[in-house]
Amino acid sequence: MPTMTAAQRREQARAEYDAFIKGCPTNQLLDRLSDKWVSLVVAALSTGPMRYSDLSRKIAGVSPKMLTQTLRSLERDGILTRTVTPSVPVRVDYALTPLGSSLAGLLTAVKAWAETHIEEVHEARERYDGTTD
Amino acid sequence: MPTMTAAQRREQARAEYDAFIKGCPTNQLLDRLSDKWVSLVVAALSTGPMRYSDLSRKIAGVSPKMLTQTLRSLERDGILTRTVTPSVPVRVDYALTPLGSSLAGLLTAVKAWAETHIEEVHEARERYDGTTD
DNA sequence: CGGAATCCGACCAGATACTG
DNA sequence: CAGTATCTGGTCGGATTCCG
């Protein structure tokens, strides 16, 4: 009696999909890139190591919480390293790993694409928005 | 007296940052890519045009709402085209534009990077998670 | 079949305040 | 200086329902 079968089928499809995602490297990476702060942090560090407060200042709009959270996940993924120097005021430096650098290279490629094609996108948008005819 | 100056400074930094974002093509593009369904739709269409229900089936975990929403924004951005065939049951086909195809190419590059380096990420994660010492 | 509208819950993200 | 903890609210995403 398929009374709530619809929901169950959805759920099952979701589970399968989820399992599929787990084994899919692309999606995991995409998950990282989809974090808006990730790209900014990586970009900021691509010119060299920075301290926590430097990052906080350079990125500006970020809250301490999000910055820490982002740095943590990137550190966990081996994208960057966290170095604590126990001086009188504690000093923490963040730097890209080789892996992180290659990711930065990828982001550069994305950026290049964006700058090349953004115009077309804008035109398409105006065309779509001015849906006069 | 700086009682609430902290909040105001945050707000101002946020405004500047926001303005910066507006003019930044990279970020606009990143916004698109950060939508988890976008990549899946583009990937699905990269092998050829598909109907709405085909996409719905192929992507599996997506709800009608999100699928439509994703397709709309992609259509608006000129990434894909929407073709309605007014037969008895309405038929709608979606296909990538040349712009969309080039985006698909970019996603392929990202995918390649992911598959190349995912192993390192996994190792880094296990090393980080097994925080024994 | 293809889609729109509504409702609602879950999660994410920010602000604030406090600690080492 | 470099975080952490908590609360809160806004947005996203899903389920449901109904229309062309």
Side-chain angles (χ1 to χ4, degrees), chain A residues 101-116:
Chain A
S101 294
S102 77
L103 179 60
L106 191 69
L107 288 179
T108 302
V110 172
K111 177 174 177 168
W113 189 94
E115 288 169 352
T116 306

Side-chain angles (χ1 to χ4, degrees), chain B residues 43-86:
Chain B
L45 287 176
S46 67
T47 60
M50 289 184 103
R51 299 179 56 180
Y52 182 90
S53 45
D54 289 336
L55 286 170
S56 180
R57 236 170 287 114
K58 175 147 188 174
I59 299 183
V62 72
S63 65
K65 175 186 177 181
M66 290 318 295
L67 184 54
T68 299
Q69 186 175 302
T70 303
L71 289 167
R72 276 297 146 79
S73 58
L74 289 177
E75 183 196 3
R76 178 170 180 260
D77 286 358
I79 304 295
L80 53 79
T81 58
R82 176 171 177 270
T83 310
V84 181
T85 308

Side-chain angles (χ1 to χ4, degrees), chain A:
Chain A
M1 48 312 295
T3 314
M4 56 188 293
T5 316
Q8 288 185 341
R9 282 184 57 189
R10 281 257 171 218
E11 192 179 2
Q12 199 205 347
R14 192 123 204 294
E16 288 174 15
Y17 176 75
D18 208 60
F20 170 72
I21 291 301
K22 284 285 200 298
C24 179
T26 311
N27 208 288
Q28 294 184 3
L29 200 271
L30 226 56
D31 253 24
R32 271 292 99 80
L33 293 182
S34 74
D35 193 317
K36 69 185 265 202
W37 299 118
V38 164
S39 4
L40 294 171
V41 168
V42 171
L45 288 176
S46 67
T47 59
M50 290 185 103
R51 298 179 57 180
Y52 182 89
S53 45
D54 289 336
L55 286 169
S56 180
R57 235 171 288 115
K58 175 145 187 175
I59 299 183
V62 72
S63 64
K65 176 186 175 181
M66 290 317 294
L67 184 54
T68 299
Q69 187 175 302
T70 303
L71 290 168
R72 278 292 146 79
S73 58
L74 289 177
E75 185 196 0
R76 177 169 181 259
D77 286 359
I79 304 296
L80 53 78
T81 58
R82 178 172 176 269
T83 310
V84 181
T85 308
S87 35
V88 183
V90 190
R91 177 199 175 102
V92 182
D93 286 275
Y94 293 92
L96 289 182
T97 62
L99 182 61
S101 294
S102 77
L103 179 60
L106 191 69
L107 288 179
T108 302
V110 172
K111 177 174 177 168
W113 189 94
E115 288 169 352
T116 306
H117 297 286
I118 191 67
E119 209 173 312
E120 300 179 50
V121 171
H122 281 160
E123 289 171 9
R125 261 182 215 182
E126 288 175 18
R127 215 176 302 126
Y128 186 89
D129 289 343
T131 171
T132 332
D133 53 325

Side-chain angles (χ1 to χ4, degrees), chain B residues 87-105:
Chain B
S87 35
V88 184
V90 189
R91 177 199 174 102
V92 182
D93 287 274
Y94 292 94
L96 289 181
T97 62
L99 182 60
S101 293
S102 77
L103 179 60

